[in-house]
Amino acid sequence: MKQDASRNAAYTVDCEDYVHVVEFNPFENGDSGNLIAYGGNNYVVIGTCTFQEEEADVEGIQYKTLRTFHHGVRVDGIAWSPETRLDSLPPVIKFCTSAADMKIRLFTSDLQDKNEYKVLEGHTDFINGLVFDPKEGQEIASVSDDHTCRIWNLEGVQTAHFVLHSPGMSVCWHPEETFKVIVYNLTLIKLKRHIEI
């Protein structure tokens, strides 16, 4: 990481290609440093950022790349799973991406030998938002220009499908009640309930 005054940034990370999305892990990952993911034209990079305010022996910011995942298509969105832990043996890295091919990819890695992903298909237009349920991390919600909100389990099976009146732009889970999903679409905000059967 180096300073680059011409960009008005305190620090920059050299990347091999364009970066389309950056996402910090919002969950406690069990280790010093903050997990960060960024995605480009055909890759996702997972790394850690440690800030001076968190570690006395760090000057400014310290960045370390943990793993680069081949993606095969442009990455448009990234969502972290609350199951991600760096202090477990082996570590668990779990996240999903939305892509230009209108598919979701669910990645699971131990940062060593296990590097798997599943493809979740069903949207028929661009995916504008995706998120894991924040308590258990066992479901993913996604919204799309196809006027739908879809709920997926970790096996890639669609468990619920809500029709919207306009393109879905953003989605989030209720932090306390995991059967409530909030969807923002171009006309209004809708509160949806879903029940697994």
Side-chain angles (χ1 to χ4, degrees):
M1 203 166 254
K2 63 181 181 180
Q3 289 189 340
D4 185 353
S6 66
R7 296 172 144 216
N8 296 326
Y11 297 91
T12 61
V13 175
D14 290 329
C15 303
E16 294 181 22
D17 201 351
Y18 291 103
V19 173
H20 297 285
V21 62
V22 177
E23 194 73 39
F24 272 105
N25 180 6
F27 306 106
E28 175 61 42
N29 61 35
D31 197 10
S32 63
N34 300 288
L35 277 168
I36 187 170
Y38 63 90
N41 286 330
N42 62 5
Y43 67 90
V44 178
V45 175
I46 305 297
T48 58
C49 286
T50 306
F51 298 94
Q52 184 173 354
E53 296 82 14
E54 300 166 342
E55 295 282 335
D57 58 342
V58 171
E59 187 175 325
I61 185 174
Q62 183 178 49
Y63 172 80
K64 177 183 175 186
T65 296
L66 299 177
R67 171 81 53 176
T68 300
F69 296 89
H70 177 72
H71 198 267
V73 65
R74 186 186 75 225
V75 180
D76 291 333
I78 299 172
W80 286 96
S81 168
E83 291 185 302
T84 297
R85 303 288 308 174
L86 290 178
D87 61 351
S88 64
L89 289 174
V92 175
I93 299 292
K94 190 175 281 191
F95 63 97
C96 64
T97 62
S98 60
D101 62 359
M102 298 168 272
K103 298 175 185 174
I104 297 170
R105 288 165 177 80
L106 173 61
F107 288 83
T108 305
S109 175
D110 64 3
L111 298 177
Q112 295 174 25
D113 301 325
K114 180 182 177 185
N115 295 292
E116 304 170 347
Y117 76 91
K118 292 179 183 159
V119 177
L120 289 62
E121 297 184 61
H123 282 296
T124 58
D125 210 333
F126 291 108
I127 300 166
N128 297 316
L130 71 165
V131 65
F132 277 87
D133 85 79
K135 289 201 173 224
E136 304 294 326
Q138 297 302 302
E139 291 183 300
I140 300 164
S142 60
V143 291
S144 168
D145 282 348
D146 66 8
H147 296 215
T148 66
C149 173
R150 298 171 191 253
I151 310 294
W152 315 83
N153 66 23
L154 298 186
E155 298 305 312
V157 176
Q158 185 178 294
T159 59
H161 175 156
F162 305 109
V163 177
L164 308 173
H165 295 291
S166 61
M169 302 308 293
S170 181
V171 61
C172 67
W173 291 88
H174 190 286
E176 305 296 325
E177 300 178 45
T178 57
F179 291 106
K180 291 183 181 175
V181 174
I182 299 172
V183 173
Y184 166 72
N185 61 9
L186 289 178
T187 55
L188 50 102
I189 296 177
K190 293 183 182 273
L191 179 63
K192 296 284 188 183
R193 290 180 187 266
H194 81 280
I195 300 171
E196 287 190 68
I197 299 173

